[in-house]
Amino acid sequence: VHIAPDVKLPAYCTIIGPAWIGPGVEIRPGAFVRGNVIVGAGCVLGTACEFKNCRLMEGVQVPHFSYVGDSILGNKAHLGAGAICSNLRLDQKPVAVRTPEQVYETGLRKFGAILGDAAEVGCNAVLNPGSVLGPRALVAPGTVFTGHLPAATIARQRGNVSFLPRRD
């Protein structure tokens, strides 16, 4: 485990190597770094967040209650509270990465998401395995996203809200 001298450490967190944590990183209480993690300069590893087999480029912000597994987050990418980079298909088959041009068979049972520079993922959004967000792409809060989101575009779900009478 390498931790740069100026990393801000909380009273408690867990760091299991191999891990490399760069300068100016802030690690918040309850963060769980569980191996094969590289964190670039100026990142925030937030409260009650878990990081596994991932690369966070510089300035990445994952401030609270998120999971980042088997993923790459580009420079200044941001995950809102409770955002999840899911890394395992429900049927546990190998993950494929789909772009408009091609399908890439990874051969991997676990593969999370790839986020371009300054990509944004809203609170409680889920990126399904193999999702790719281009630079400055945005996934709206509460959205479940699968596939490829081009640069500077927004993905959102609009669902109907049903109102039923209470039966007290």
Side-chain angles (χ1 to χ4, degrees):
V1 174
H2 166 81
I3 300 174
D6 64 343
V7 169
K8 295 177 186 171
L9 290 169
Y12 57 92
C13 67
T14 301
I15 301 173
I16 299 170
W20 191 93
I21 300 172
V25 170
E26 178 184 353
I27 301 178
R28 294 183 178 168
F32 183 26
V33 176
R34 66 176 177 115
N36 298 315
V37 174
I38 298 173
V39 181
C43 292
V44 173
L45 279 62
T47 303
C49 291
E50 182 176 355
F51 302 88
K52 177 192 81 79
N53 295 334
C54 60
R55 172 66 164 106
L56 280 57
M57 305 302 274
E58 293 187 5
V60 170
Q61 303 283 309
V62 185
H64 29 244
F65 309 112
S66 293
Y67 175 74
V68 180
D70 302 278
S71 298
I72 300 169
L73 279 56
N75 295 301
K76 298 185 179 178
H78 173 259
L79 301 186
I84 304 295
C85 294
S86 179
N87 63 346
L88 179 66
R89 286 173 45 135
L90 188 59
D91 61 10
Q92 298 192 18
K93 290 184 179 175
V95 176
V97 175
R98 290 169 169 69
T99 68
E101 299 81 29
Q102 190 173 344
V103 175
Y104 298 91
E105 298 295 339
T106 67
L108 300 171
R109 190 171 149 263
K110 290 193 174 184
F111 186 95
I114 299 173
L115 279 62
D117 292 349
E120 293 273 347
V121 179
C123 295
N124 294 316
V126 176
L127 303 180
N128 280 318
S131 294
V132 177
L133 308 185
R136 296 181 29 251
L138 187 147
V139 175
T143 299
V144 177
F145 181 80
T146 302
H148 175 262
L149 185 60
T153 58
I154 298 173
R156 65 178 173 217
Q157 287 177 307
R158 291 189 181 195
N160 294 330
V161 176
S162 299
F163 297 93
L164 302 174
R166 278 184 60 173
R167 296 180 188 208
D168 296 18

